[in-house]
């Protein structure tokens, strides 16, 4: 499993945290469609407050849509298979070059490897989007990633429940555009100007090693 942590106020990334926040905010504002369309464009949301099941499992399609929205000029970067060890360091070098240039990057791997320890998804694959690269004072490097899966961490679950009380499928029918945008931004951006909500995390990747193979059971 990729080790993950949350962004801290002093973290410096390329592109900068504020630039990424601005890109996300502008892209969410520009997303068209109904309240449900907006929510499911950006978030992999649960049917009910118990997180027993998600409304959809379209993480691949969602990552492609969100990645395109977040890099409209340069286009989404889709690296070659990260589970293949051949030239793995070169793949990650190209990936890093892409995020530094402001391109969102499509990252596909085993659900249990990229989804987080609390995610409901433990078999098959999961797709997230990398947006920046950073380095700790210790020298340890990380990627800043957006995981639309609302169920993936305890923090994301805690934030979601008071935003959408009860069964999501029924509640969404009553939302207007303003409320859907507010929920999306709360989950992704949070309420601090120098950080993010629980769906954007630091991913400490061993870039000299291939991802585990995806389990199809």
């Amino acid at each position: 499993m990729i080790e993950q942590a949350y962004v801290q106020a002093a973290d410096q990334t390329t592109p900068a945290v504020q630039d990424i926040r601005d890109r996300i905010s502008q892209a969410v504002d520009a997303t068209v469609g109904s309240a449900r369309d907006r929510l499911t464009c950006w978030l992999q949301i649960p049917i009910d407050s118990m997180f027993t099941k998600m409304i959809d499992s379209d993480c691949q399609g969602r990552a492609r849509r969100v990645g395109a929205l977040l890099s409209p000029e340069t286009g989404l970067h889709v690296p070659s298979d990260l589970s293949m060890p051949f030239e793995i360091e070169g793949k990650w070098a190209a990936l890093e070059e892409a995020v530094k240039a402001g391109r969102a990057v499509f990252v596909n791997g085993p659900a249990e490897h990229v989804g987080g320890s609390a995610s409901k998804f433990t078999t098959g694959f999961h797709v997230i989007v990398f947006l920046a690269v950073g380095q700790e004072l210790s020298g340890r490097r990380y990627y800043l990633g957006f995981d639309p899966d609302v169920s993936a961490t305890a923090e994301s679950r805690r934030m979601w429940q008071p935003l959408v009380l009860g069964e999501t499928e029924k509640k969404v029918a009553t939302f207007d555009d303003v409320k859907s945008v507010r929920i999306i931004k709360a989950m992704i951006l949070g309420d601090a100007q120098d950080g993010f909500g629980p769906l954007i995390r630091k991913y400490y990747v061993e870039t000299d090693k291939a991802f585990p193979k995806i389990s199809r059971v």
Side-chain angles (χ1 to χ4, degrees):
M1 182 180 299
I2 300 176
E3 184 179 343
Q4 300 170 28
Y6 285 105
V7 176
Q8 304 299 310
D11 287 336
Q12 302 292 319
T13 63
T14 304
V17 167
Q18 190 57 57
D19 291 341
I20 297 170
R21 285 181 56 87
D22 290 345
R23 280 166 59 192
I24 293 171
S25 183
Q26 291 164 13
V28 171
D29 288 341
T31 305
V32 298
S34 66
R36 181 192 170 94
D37 290 339
R38 285 174 181 262
L39 283 168
T40 57
C41 174
W42 286 93
L43 307 178
Q44 193 161 358
I45 56 180
I47 286 175
D48 57 39
S49 60
M50 300 302 293
F51 301 91
T52 56
K53 185 179 179 182
M54 310 307 280
I55 283 179
D56 68 70
S57 57
D58 188 25
C59 59
Q60 189 172 67
R62 183 176 290 103
R64 290 186 181 277
R65 293 193 302 272
V66 168
L69 289 170
L70 292 175
S71 44
E73 296 180 3
T74 52
L76 174 69
H77 175 72
V78 182
S80 55
D81 189 350
L82 295 173
S83 70
M84 296 294 291
F86 180 68
E87 295 186 347
I88 189 64
E89 292 177 320
K91 295 175 187 178
W92 282 99
L95 189 156
E96 180 167 329
E97 182 179 350
V99 295
K100 285 183 174 179
R103 297 181 71 182
V105 176
F106 181 94
V107 178
N108 180 25
E112 65 274 18
H113 187 64
V114 302
S117 61
S119 176
K120 285 285 187 181
F121 303 97
T122 57
T123 60
F125 68 91
H126 190 52
V127 186
I128 59 177
V129 177
F130 279 178
L131 299 172
V133 62
Q135 184 169 308
E136 307 286 11
L137 293 177
S138 65
R140 192 182 189 195
R141 294 169 62 76
Y142 61 86
Y143 287 92
L144 205 61
F146 167 45
D147 181 356
D149 174 13
V150 170
S151 77
T153 66
E155 290 83 0
S156 60
R157 293 175 186 230
R158 279 198 297 268
M159 178 168 279
W160 178 260
Q161 286 175 321
L163 288 172
V164 186
L165 297 172
E167 297 184 21
T168 301
E169 284 194 304
K170 293 180 180 179
K171 292 287 187 178
V172 166
T174 69
F175 293 168
D176 58 16
D177 288 345
V178 172
K179 184 162 186 178
S180 68
V181 168
R182 180 173 64 82
I183 290 171
I184 295 165
K185 288 185 176 181
M187 295 300 301
I188 303 175
L189 299 177
D191 54 10
Q193 294 303 307
D194 53 2
F196 296 98
L199 300 187
I200 292 191
R201 303 186 286 279
K202 296 191 286 189
Y203 289 74
Y204 300 90
V205 183
E206 295 181 273
T207 57
D208 60 339
K209 298 178 182 178
F211 277 8
K213 292 287 187 180
I214 294 171
S215 170
R216 300 293 183 182
V217 297

